[in-house]
Amino acid sequence: MRAALVLCDYAAQDVSGGKVHLMGAGWSVTGPMPTPHAVAAFIKVGWDEANEPHPLSLRLLDSDGQTVSFPGPAGEQPINFPGNIEVPRPAGIPHGSEIDATIAVTIGALPLIPGQRYRWQLEIDGQPVASEPFLVRPVPTPPGVPPQP
């Protein structure tokens, strides 16, 4: 199985056609103020991997590779979207073909640390299959104030 992730401002899944509609797609720098965004995953499922469930997880990692967490009503909440993917083999597709699957996850405004790097990582069957890094811009230095080292 292989996959690609696209960061965007908004993504919507077209359930009937399997497509994902994206707006503001392809960025790798955001902020510094918290802004909502979305992650679209485009997955190629191998012929032999179809017709069976595969656990997946889309996680936000910090620059040290640790899952980002924020305080919530039940304590620390990791930014992790777990699920399962099971793709049927369509009739008429030749043996050995890859089968398309898509996922769209809309994320609210997260209070990410300005000046830090993060990455979204998609794991399927416990293995990383795609990741997409991004930077949160540092807070601009006001005029006449020396920049911090």
Side-chain angles (χ1 to χ4, degrees), residues 20 34-35 43 66 68 110 113 136 149:
V20 176
T35 55
I43 304 166
Q66 300 300 308
V68 175
L110 299 174
I113 301 170
V136 178

Side-chain angles (χ1 to χ4, degrees), residues 40-120:
F42 299 91
I43 304 166
K44 301 291 187 181
V45 178
W47 179 264
D48 296 331
E49 299 167 307
N51 291 334
E52 54 187 71
H54 300 275
L56 65 79
S57 175
L58 179 66
R59 298 184 303 142
L60 180 61
L61 305 177
D62 62 19
S63 60
D64 294 326
Q66 300 300 308
T67 302
V68 175
S69 296
F70 293 107
E76 286 291 309
Q77 300 292 306
I79 306 303
N80 180 25
F81 299 92
N84 284 295
I85 184 170
E86 184 170 350
V87 178
R89 274 187 215 111
I93 299 266
H95 185 274
S97 297
E98 290 182 312
I99 303 159
D100 295 320
T102 57
I103 299 169
V105 177
T106 300
I107 295 102
L110 299 174
L112 301 175
I113 301 170
Q116 296 297 307
R117 293 199 55 79
Y118 295 89
R119 72 183 156 101
W120 285 100

Side-chain angles (χ1 to χ4, degrees), residues 114-138:
Q116 296 297 307
R117 293 199 55 79
Y118 295 89
R119 72 183 156 101
W120 285 100
Q121 180 168 289
L122 177 64
E123 296 176 1
I124 300 177
D125 293 327
Q127 299 298 314
V129 294
S131 69
E132 192 62 35
F134 67 97
L135 170 70
V136 178
R137 287 182 189 94

